[in-house]
Amino acid sequence: MTPLLFTHSRLFAHAGGFGINLNLLDTNLINLVIVIGVLVWFLRGFLGGILERRRQAILADLSDAEDRLKAANAALAKAQGDLAAAQQKAAQILADGKARAQSVRVESEQRTIEEMARLRQDAVADLNAEAARVTDLLRREAARQAIETALATLPGKLDDAAQARLIDQSIQSLGNG
């Protein structure tokens, strides 16, 4: 019965219809199973090793990338800290500069005021000295004119007896002095 079934299925397949060949030896199904089994067994070790090495390489690359990311984050944090410190230092320098400029300005104004006061005092002293010199000059001139006037009018007003009395009084006042 089996050969007849195979024959009919073969005939049916040749006729252009659909048929199933159930002869395992004829269809090479056993050979295919053996070849596929050997390929799976052989390739599992070969491809498994390749895939495992690839997996290890990917894990190493990921670990390296994570390490570089940590180092980059640490460097970024340090750089940000350095930037903040530099900005704080710059702000301090700016504040110190402004304070120094204000101090210099106030000191300069104070020196200018003191110099102006000194110049004013010098001017007042010069003015007082000039006034004293002019006053002294005017007194001398007034005394000279008074003496000239007295000398000019004195000989006509004094007689010999008055002149002798005047000389005696002058000598006495010199003696008492």
Side-chain angles (χ1 to χ4, degrees):
M1 193 177 230
T2 311
L4 186 58
L5 181 63
F6 289 133
T7 309
H8 287 298
S9 65
R10 206 179 277 154
L11 285 176
F12 197 31
H14 285 294
F18 182 92
I20 297 176
N21 187 358
L22 297 176
N23 186 356
L24 292 179
L25 295 174
D26 195 25
T27 59
N28 279 332
L29 190 58
I30 294 174
N31 291 337
L32 285 175
V33 169
I34 292 171
V35 168
I36 289 174
V38 168
L39 283 175
V40 166
W41 178 77
F42 177 71
L43 291 178
R44 179 177 20 176
F46 179 72
L47 287 178
I50 291 174
L51 290 175
E52 182 62 27
R53 283 191 301 275
R54 182 67 185 141
R55 183 172 128 347
Q56 292 298 329
I58 289 171
L59 288 176
D61 288 346
L62 284 175
S63 175
D64 185 43
E66 286 176 354
D67 291 344
R68 286 192 317 240
L69 177 63
K70 287 177 186 175
N73 283 338
L76 176 63
K78 183 181 182 307
Q80 286 174 337
D82 291 346
L83 175 63
Q87 287 174 337
Q88 185 178 11
K89 183 73 174 177
Q92 181 65 36
I93 289 171
L94 181 64
D96 290 347
K98 285 182 179 179
R100 180 68 181 138
Q102 177 68 16
S103 172
V104 166
R105 186 181 63 77
V106 167
E107 184 179 316
S108 175
E109 287 175 356
Q110 187 174 0
R111 271 191 272 132
T112 301
I113 290 170
E114 289 172 358
E115 184 66 21
M116 288 173 62
R118 186 188 65 77
L119 288 174
R120 185 167 187 238
Q121 287 175 350
D122 288 350
V124 167
D126 288 347
L127 184 64
N128 288 341
E130 186 65 21
R133 187 185 68 77
V134 168
T135 303
D136 188 46
L137 186 64
L138 288 176
R139 279 187 196 150
R140 283 184 187 176
E141 185 63 26
R144 187 186 63 78
Q145 284 180 355
I147 290 173
E148 284 179 6
T149 305
L151 287 177
T153 58
L154 191 63
K157 290 185 178 181
L158 287 180
D159 58 2
D160 289 333
Q163 281 182 1
R165 271 193 323 251
L166 181 61
I167 290 174
D168 289 338
Q169 284 177 350
S170 296
I171 291 173
Q172 273 184 345
S173 64
L174 286 177
N176 289 338

